[in-house]
Amino acid sequence: LVQTNGLSNSLNLEKATLTTSDSGHCTAEEAFASEDETEESSCLSTEDEDSENEEVIRKKFPESFQVAGGQRLGSENLTDETSDVEDLLKEEEDYKEENNYSTETSGALKWKEDLSRKAAEAFLRQQQATPNLRKLIYGTVTEDNE
Amino acid sequence: MATQAHSLSYAGCNFLRQRLVLSTLSGRPVKIRKIRARDDNPGLRDFEASFIRLLDKITNGSRIEINQTGTTLYYQPGLLCGGSVEHDCNVLRSIGYYLESLLCLAPFMKHPLRIVLRGVTNDQVDPSVDVLKATALPLLKQFGIDGESFELKVVRRGMPPGGGGEVLFSCPVRKVLKPVQLTDPGKIKRIRGIAYSVRVSPQMANRIVDSARSILNKFIPDIYIYTDHMKGVSSGKSPGFGLSLVAETTNGTFLGAELASNPQGQGAAVLPEDLGRNCAKLLLEEIYRGGCVDSTNQSLALLLMTLGQQDVSKVLLGPLSPYTIEFLRHLKSFFQIMFKIETKPCGEELKGGDKVLMACVGVGFSNLSKTLK
């Protein structure tokens, strides 16, 4: 934290100098810049560690995501992976809390379920809606005739 | 036609003309009860009484019974006689109200009808004589009703509330009607119109033309709007102005739209510029609705299809108007004809609103009166 604070301070300083640099103090600016570089490099190393941790988490997330997606689509191609998948699911029981967003997305992807069935339903609904005109005009008698 | 068939019974004042016209053509008597029975002013209105008198004039042997209050009407139709007739139409409705029914009946007269109608030529409610001349007459021609004597002429123009207009309508008779196949309306090829003005500045018509053109010029170059300023005796009794527009397609379909100024002393004064613009928009609306027959003549086309030879007729219409829907129900009860109705959603080649393809087999109606001649 101290380091980052120092960095931010130095950055602020740099900005300040940059803003003032218009007046023409070139030498001072260069000096500051060299100092900053050393500090930044040290900072970056700590940041890298954090990012690595994140990557570990990320690796697990997409897998779980794929698994969920695969099951929903009902595709049998992933039979080989199912065992791994199950293991992953067991492992990730701890993550359930954090994975809340994935359950939300499953809700969002619900429209993809049974697309062909929905299309068939829409078609039938349309079919039923069209001859209504004759029924509307002549009443229900036409249904008996047809 | 005057055969004794069991009468049809209706209640209410709506669609009186339809019922009487179909009754006359089918020969089935009608009984209409409860005509404005709960109204403060019950019974038939003056314009309806005038219409019944007109029917009496053009038929021979009709029996009309109206009760004392005018709430019940019994009509047993006679034979359509025709010949030279004159009729003073009530000024509450325009001549179009009477003419619409005459167009349905005229081809089936014993003698060719030649009628002089006096009254209001243009109002805000009924289709004007100008629009009927431009749209209904070409439609009748499609069914084989044509000839030298087929004409509709505005001799004098009369605006409400005074009226004072005069129209000459003559129609030849036909033994049978041709079945039609009107399924492709084509594209709009030209727009024609009449901007009329009576007892106001002749400049009004020019202002209407300019404003209507300001909208229509964007779409098509072939536009001609005539200005018709009538003076003196031929200008009727009341001032007014208006515009009727007709779009003609490459396949001979005519789509009409019109607007008239408010009658003198009723409502706010209408600016001719607004009237021109609004009428142009109404024409665009009518073109959007489309079809091979415009919305004012839908029922006329369906009637002539029903009365055609025993052959299939097809007509593509725009969205059905409420009047047409009721007319279809009446056609069913008078002629036992049910149309095949197919909705055609607007696709690539059919732009605009949803279209309806109407098809039926004609009842094989032939003009018996004519053979007797």
Side-chain angles (χ1 to χ4, degrees), chain A residues 133-134 136-138 142, chain B residues 328-329 332 338-341:
Chain A
L133 206 54
R134 199 178 151 94
L136 281 172
I137 291 168
Y138 294 121
T142 51
Chain B
L328 282 166
R329 291 176 188 146
K332 190 195 163 205
M338 277 162 81
F339 278 77
K340 184 164 167 275
I341 303 162

Side-chain angles (χ1 to χ4, degrees), chain B residues 308-336:
Chain B
Q309 284 170 284
Q310 290 196 322
D311 200 350
V312 179
S313 290
K314 278 184 191 170
V315 163
L316 188 76
L317 298 179
L320 299 178
S321 66
Y323 188 83
T324 309
I325 290 168
E326 194 59 34
F327 191 77
L328 282 166
R329 291 176 188 146
H330 279 123
L331 277 180
K332 190 195 163 205
S333 44
F334 280 97
F335 287 102
Q336 289 80 45

Side-chain angles (χ1 to χ4, degrees), chain B residues 231-246:
Chain B
K231 288 177 188 168
V233 230
S234 52
S235 65
K237 292 173 185 165
S238 301
F241 55 89
L243 173 66
S244 65
L245 291 169
V246 173

Side-chain angles (χ1 to χ4, degrees), chain B residues 215-271:
Chain B
I215 286 187
L216 297 174
N217 272 347
K218 294 169 199 160
F219 301 100
I220 192 167
D222 190 358
I223 302 169
Y224 200 95
I225 302 171
Y226 299 85
T227 52
D228 180 18
H229 182 72
M230 286 198 164
K231 288 177 188 168
V233 230
S234 52
S235 65
K237 292 173 185 165
S238 301
F241 55 89
L243 173 66
S244 65
L245 291 169
V246 173
E248 187 188 346
T249 69
T250 47
N251 289 6
T253 296
F254 292 82
L255 307 166
E258 65 177 325
L259 267 185
S261 62
N262 285 331
Q264 187 182 27
Q266 293 170 31
V270 179
L271 273 181

Side-chain angles (χ1 to χ4, degrees), chain B residues 93-352:
Chain B
R93 299 295 286 260
S94 81
I95 290 174
Y97 174 82
Y98 303 88
L99 206 52
E100 270 190 307
S101 297
L102 284 177
L103 285 165
C104 301
L105 297 170
F108 310 102
M109 298 283 172
K110 184 172 182 180
H111 308 292
L113 183 70
R114 193 176 164 78
I115 189 166
V116 176
L117 296 162
R118 296 195 192 86
V120 176
T121 53
N122 304 74
D123 74 355
Q124 296 179 310
V125 189
D126 295 297
S128 70
V129 180
D130 302 287
V131 158
L132 287 176
K133 181 182 178 172
T135 59
L137 263 57
L139 180 67
L140 285 171
K141 283 178 185 167
Q142 303 259 25
F143 287 89
I145 302 155
D146 202 356
E148 282 288 300
S149 60
F150 191 40
E151 69 163 342
L152 177 57
K153 206 167 102 186
V154 182
V155 184
R156 292 174 193 168
R157 219 173 261 286
M159 297 290 288
E166 189 176 306
V167 170
L168 175 72
F169 173 56
S170 68
C171 180
V173 291
R174 287 287 172 271
K175 195 180 169 204
V176 287
L177 296 177
K178 281 199 298 193
V180 292
Q181 306 279 330
L182 304 171
T183 49
D184 183 16
K187 290 191 164 76
I188 305 295
K189 113 178 134 176
R190 62 167 77 108
I191 293 174
R192 293 288 177 267
I194 297 173
Y196 57 86
S197 56
V198 286
R199 296 188 174 267
V200 292
S201 158
Q203 202 54 36
M204 290 292 198
N206 295 333
R207 287 163 69 184
I208 294 171
V209 172
D210 282 346
S211 59
R213 271 181 164 276
S214 72
I215 286 187
L216 297 174
N217 272 347
K218 294 169 199 160
F219 301 100
I220 192 167
D222 190 358
I223 302 169
Y224 200 95
I225 302 171
Y226 299 85
T227 52
D228 180 18
H229 182 72
M230 286 198 164
K231 288 177 188 168
V233 230
S234 52
S235 65
K237 292 173 185 165
S238 301
F241 55 89
L243 173 66
S244 65
L245 291 169
V246 173
E248 187 188 346
T249 69
T250 47
N251 289 6
T253 296
F254 292 82
L255 307 166
E258 65 177 325
L259 267 185
S261 62
N262 285 331
Q264 187 182 27
Q266 293 170 31
V270 179
L271 273 181
E273 281 79 14
D274 292 342
L275 187 135
R277 261 195 304 276
N278 291 337
C279 187
K281 286 173 189 167
L282 281 179
L283 183 72
L284 297 180
E285 162 79 20
E286 189 59 48
I287 291 168
Y288 174 82
R289 294 168 72 92
C292 290
V293 180
D294 73 346
S295 35
T296 50
N297 295 303
Q298 280 177 352
S299 49
L300 177 64
L302 295 176
L303 175 75
L304 296 175
M305 284 163 73
T306 309
L307 298 176
Q309 284 170 284
Q310 290 196 322
D311 200 350
V312 179
S313 290
K314 278 184 191 170
V315 163
L316 188 76
L317 298 179
L320 299 178
S321 66
Y323 188 83
T324 309
I325 290 168
E326 194 59 34
F327 191 77
L328 282 166
R329 291 176 188 146
H330 279 123
L331 277 180
K332 190 195 163 205
S333 44
F334 280 97
F335 287 102
Q336 289 80 45
I337 281 283
M338 277 162 81
F339 278 77
K340 184 164 167 275
I341 303 162
E342 214 174 298
T343 21
K344 295 260 176 183
C346 54
E348 275 301 303
E349 74 264 52
L350 283 172
K351 293 278 194 302

